[in-house]
Amino acid sequence: DQFKAEITRDSFCQATTSDGVDVRVMGNIELPEEVVAVGDNGGDGIGLYRTEFQYLGRLDFPTEADLFDKYQDVVEVMAGKPVTIRTLDINGDKALNNQFSADEANPALGLRAIRYCLKKPQVFKDQLRAILRAAAFGNTRILFPMISTYFEICEATRILDEAAESLEKDGLPYNRDIEIGAMIEVPSAVIMADVIAENVDFFSIGTNDLIQYALAIDRGNEQVAHLFQPLDPAIIRMLKHVADVAREKDIKIFMCGEMAGTPHHIPLLLGIGMDELSMNPQTIPDIKRVIRSLNVADTRSFMKEVLKQTTAKSTFELIKDTYGDILAEQLYSG
Ligand code: PEP
Ligand code: MG
């Protein structure tokens, strides 16, 4: 218990590696109320605010005022810490049950996320206006989900500009000077990362979908759950590529997929050079503790060995052999 109390207390301090590198550890939330859990666990901000839940289980769309009200709340509660609001990632595994949602044979490959928003510009613009208005009240970032082609990020930013212009015309307070990010969760976006980087301030890697699309494993299908392997060398090479591009292009690189909240992945993620990790708020204290016990210079040489591996299993064994003592009891819980 005393050990637990210590972890909790430490979680309110920054996570700095033994060689002095700060890594921000953020929380993922779905409901505005969960912002409290991020604070209680010492989160350095919100790395992923999944906004779809305000749209689910109703017959119409929420109004700009409804959305603004919630976003403003979250931004104010976080009191200057970054709040990353992801635009509507509807359909796929989060179905909209109203008349605007079509029956799709293959929803994961269908009209979801940014594709849906670009087809429904009014729905999109209402949300963008709400986000820009909330941004006048605190540290806000905007994140576009499921970018699979350069055109989509161009369109998204163009509509964001239109939303700002319309707020200007309406004389409402807003802030257009916010960081813009692209989720990297489709293999085509990995390949085109250098081009997409020109239009954004940060990448946030969504491993839940990236693994699904790269390894052709339905993220919700139990039959193939054993093949859903974050440590598959194909995934590791993609992460490395995206991080290298981000560094080259001088933009930030974050991860908000579940891979970021698993203790035994942390040496690898630091070795790749992640600036920020976002996860289920309850896991923040553990991840901060792991980060403090690591040395980034070591994790970089460790990455060289990781890149030689040919299977997820041998990669896991390598992690165990190299960092087993540090990870100790957490190694098998993730
Ligand atoms: C992801 O795909 O990794 C992600 C963080 O987003 P979601 O789980 O909401 O698709
Ligand atoms: Mg996703």
Side-chain angles (χ1 to χ4, degrees), residues 86 89 94 112 183 185 206 208-209 219:
R86 183 176 72 182
D89 184 2
K94 308 160 193 88
R112 64 170 286 203
M183 291 277 301
E185 51 184 350
N208 309 340
D209 277 310
R219 62 190 272 184

Side-chain angles (χ1 to χ4, degrees), residues 28 30 48 50 52 86 89 93-94 112 183-185 204-210 219 255-259:
N28 292 352
E30 299 183 346
L48 173 62
R50 291 183 168 99
E52 24 300 340
R86 183 176 72 182
D89 184 2
D93 64 333
K94 308 160 193 88
R112 64 170 286 203
M183 291 277 301
I184 302 293
E185 51 184 350
S204 187
I205 303 180
T207 50
N208 309 340
D209 277 310
L210 183 61
R219 62 190 272 184
M255 178 177 283
C256 62
E258 271 162 48
M259 185 176 189

